[in-house]
Amino acid sequence: MWAGRVLHAALSRAPRESRAQSALAQLRGILEEELESIRGAGTWKSERVITSRQGPHIHVDGAPGGIINFCANNYLGLSSHPEVIQAGLRTLKEFGAGLSSVRFICGTQSIHKDLEAKIARFHQREDAILYPSCFDANAGLFEALLTSEDAVLSDELNHASIIDGIRLCKAHKYRYRHLDMADLEAKLQEAQKHRLRLVATDGAFSMDGDIAPLQEICRLASQYGALVFVDESHATGFLGATGRGTDELLGVMDQVTIINSTLGKALGGASGACRLGPLGSLYLHARPWRGLGGGGYTTGPGALVSLLRQRARPYLFSNSLPPAAVGCASKALDLLMESNAIVQSMAAKTLRFRSQMEAAGFTISGANHPICPVMLGDARLALNIADDMLKRGIFVIGFSYPVVPKGKARIRVQISAVHSEEDIDRCVEAFVEVGRLHGALP
């Protein structure tokens, strides 16, 4: 009897295992077909392994000698600044490696409250709230703030995290054409029937290096009784006379209601969601990915920040920002508030690169921003030029679909204050040489 039951169980298990293996084989076939289509389109993205700390000069696995890095969002060079590193080490030693908890349980330390207060002072706002990443800040804001009675009006090229954050809320959604103020006004007129109206835009758009016309956006918002939200991830620390961002650059600090930004770029390079273009959202699920250990924040009215502490899901369900990241970011803000010399240096070097590249015959998107997209159009061309640039000691990356629209492939060069003039000149020389080799220049 017992042997019969064992035999019966073995026989019934065999079809289940066969079906599972068949399903796995089917999955493998689908995945390989999709991967091969990516390779065939010339949009395959390989990860280059850096074997040194982040900075203007790095070492890359498989590449001989030192490499000049023109890829990082390390706009002010603070990720390798000795005072920032020492601050992180001191904080790590005093407060530990992590909190092992979310903020409202037992994950709030005095350094978190101090950094939030410092962020609010820096942006001249009432209060601020920290998140593991700016992706989380964008995921948490709209759902907590807006209801089905409200409306949100979003630039069509806003970052994926803004797009996904808006998807999570129940507000009525309007998308206006990129930087098109006539279209925004038409959408605002249409949205007058809703309780709250929130205009959402990136301050500086990370793929094209262009800047939102905040003066006009704020004028329209005032005319139609709307609020203004700006994501300043590619502006905080270096745009504006003292690095406060695009609202300072364009003179509307008192008219922007809410600012989200990151600690993961100019403010020391703490980890967090990397900000790619809006098409990145095609591959994200309904609940966005949560960055590990990095740093993002919302700053604005005190009552809004209090509401986010009660209702923002990424804040309530994510572990606290690690002490070392807090210490680094706090020191980075101190350095910025003491002097704007680093900001001025970066602006001068950005102008040097842009003017030389345009004089050589390249098309550089955007204006006066250290994101300098070298527009090439063809994905395979961008990939090949980037590979040949690495052979000449220059680290740049080609961007293609789905990160940018089809036909808009480019190499995104990013200038840092810690690049020397010689670094920039060498980069331009390599672009000219490789561009001629591949027919991108005559």
Side-chain angles (χ1 to χ4, degrees):
M1 177 77 90
W2 177 81
R5 286 199 297 268
V6 171
L7 178 61
H8 176 75
L11 291 174
S12 62
R13 187 167 59 248
R16 291 199 300 271
E17 292 176 349
S18 177
R19 288 194 295 271
Q21 292 172 355
S22 176
L24 179 57
Q26 181 185 23
L27 172 62
R28 290 183 188 279
I30 292 171
L31 294 177
E32 286 301 328
E33 183 179 348
E34 184 67 20
L35 293 173
E36 189 55 41
S37 71
I38 296 173
R39 294 186 187 97
T43 58
W44 185 268
K45 298 164 186 63
S46 299
E47 295 181 356
R48 296 171 177 170
V49 180
I50 299 174
T51 58
S52 61
R53 71 173 59 182
Q54 182 62 273
H57 299 92
I58 57 177
H59 291 279
V60 177
D61 189 30
I67 304 296
I68 306 176
N69 183 12
F70 281 93
C71 283
N73 297 317
N74 187 24
Y75 295 112
L76 301 177
L78 296 180
S79 66
S80 53
H81 192 288
E83 291 186 48
V84 173
I85 293 172
Q86 285 302 314
L89 290 172
R90 285 195 302 271
T91 312
L92 176 67
K93 184 175 181 179
E94 182 176 355
F95 289 93
L99 277 299
S100 306
S101 181
V102 299
R103 287 285 297 271
F104 82 93
I105 298 177
C106 64
T108 298
Q109 292 176 322
S110 57
I111 52 174
H112 295 95
K113 302 301 293 183
D114 292 344
L115 179 55
E116 286 169 336
K118 191 175 292 186
I119 288 169
R121 290 198 306 272
F122 180 76
H123 286 285
Q124 300 178 21
R125 298 307 196 275
E126 292 178 8
D127 202 355
I129 177 173
L130 288 169
Y131 288 90
S133 72
C134 189
F135 210 124
D136 283 316
N138 286 338
L141 174 68
F142 302 99
E143 186 178 26
L145 175 62
L146 302 176
T147 72
S148 58
E149 299 180 68
D150 306 317
V152 58
L153 303 95
S154 176
D155 188 293
E156 66 179 349
L157 292 190
N158 275 340
H159 180 253
S161 60
I162 299 175
I163 294 170
D164 282 10
I166 289 172
R167 285 175 176 168
L168 294 173
C169 77
K170 296 180 180 179
H172 296 266
K173 301 166 181 66
Y174 298 83
R175 187 174 69 169
Y176 63 91
R177 290 188 293 273
H178 182 50
L179 307 184
D180 188 330
M181 295 298 96
D183 194 37
L184 173 58
E185 182 169 17
K187 298 295 193 302
L188 280 167
Q189 292 171 345
E190 187 179 348
Q192 287 300 291
K193 55 183 175 287
H194 303 298
R195 185 188 64 168
L196 291 178
R197 293 160 296 282
L198 178 67
V199 180
T201 182
D202 275 311
F205 290 83
S206 62
M207 283 298 105
D208 294 292
D210 48 10
I211 296 172
L214 289 185
Q215 292 175 329
E216 185 65 8
I217 288 174
C218 290
R219 185 191 68 78
L220 289 172
S222 176
Q223 180 179 343
Y224 291 98
L227 305 170
V228 178
F229 160 85
V230 181
D231 185 307
E232 292 280 57
S233 291
H234 285 278
T236 297
F238 57 92
L239 287 188
T242 61
R244 264 59 178 180
T246 56
D247 61 342
E248 181 186 47
L249 178 71
L250 299 173
V252 292
M253 290 186 73
D254 60 338
Q255 299 175 57
V256 173
T257 312
I258 308 165
I259 287 175
N260 279 7
S261 195
T262 181
L263 308 176
K265 294 180 173 44
L267 299 183
S271 62
C274 179
R275 295 182 49 77
L276 296 178
L279 293 175
S281 62
L282 294 172
Y283 290 92
L284 297 171
H285 300 292
R287 177 66 59 181
W289 172 84
R290 280 162 171 64
L292 297 177
Y297 58 84
T298 295
T299 185
L304 169 64
V305 171
S306 294
L307 179 67
L308 293 174
R309 294 191 195 280
Q310 302 302 313
R311 291 188 178 172
R313 289 163 65 88
Y315 180 82
L316 293 172
F317 295 100
S318 296
N319 270 15
S320 304
L321 198 61
V326 174
C328 288
S330 183
K331 174 53 69 173
L333 282 170
D334 288 343
L335 293 172
L336 284 175
M337 288 190 281
E338 289 169 5
S339 171
N340 65 350
I342 305 176
V343 176
Q344 294 174 343
S345 172
M346 191 215 61
K349 289 166 184 174
T350 296
L351 177 61
R352 184 182 187 94
F353 178 80
R354 283 181 169 271
S355 60
Q356 290 189 24
M357 287 290 285
E358 289 171 352
F362 286 103
T363 299
I364 310 298
S365 180
N368 301 323
H369 194 284
I371 291 174
C372 304
V374 183
M375 304 303 294
L376 298 168
D378 181 80
R380 196 178 299 278
L381 175 63
L383 178 66
N384 291 338
I385 287 180
D387 287 343
D388 279 351
M389 290 286 286
L390 184 62
K391 295 174 184 176
R392 289 159 175 80
I394 306 294
F395 192 130
V396 290
I397 294 292
F399 285 73
S400 57
Y401 182 84
V403 177
V404 296
K406 291 181 178 179
K408 298 289 185 178
R410 67 202 64 183
I411 291 176
R412 190 179 71 173
V413 177
Q414 292 177 262
I415 306 300
S416 172
V418 289
H419 284 129
S420 68
E421 292 184 351
E422 291 75 16
D423 292 338
I424 291 171
D425 294 346
R426 183 176 164 191
C427 182
V428 173
E429 290 168 3
F431 260 113
V432 171
E433 181 182 345
V434 175
R436 287 173 179 164
L437 179 66
H438 289 277
L441 288 179

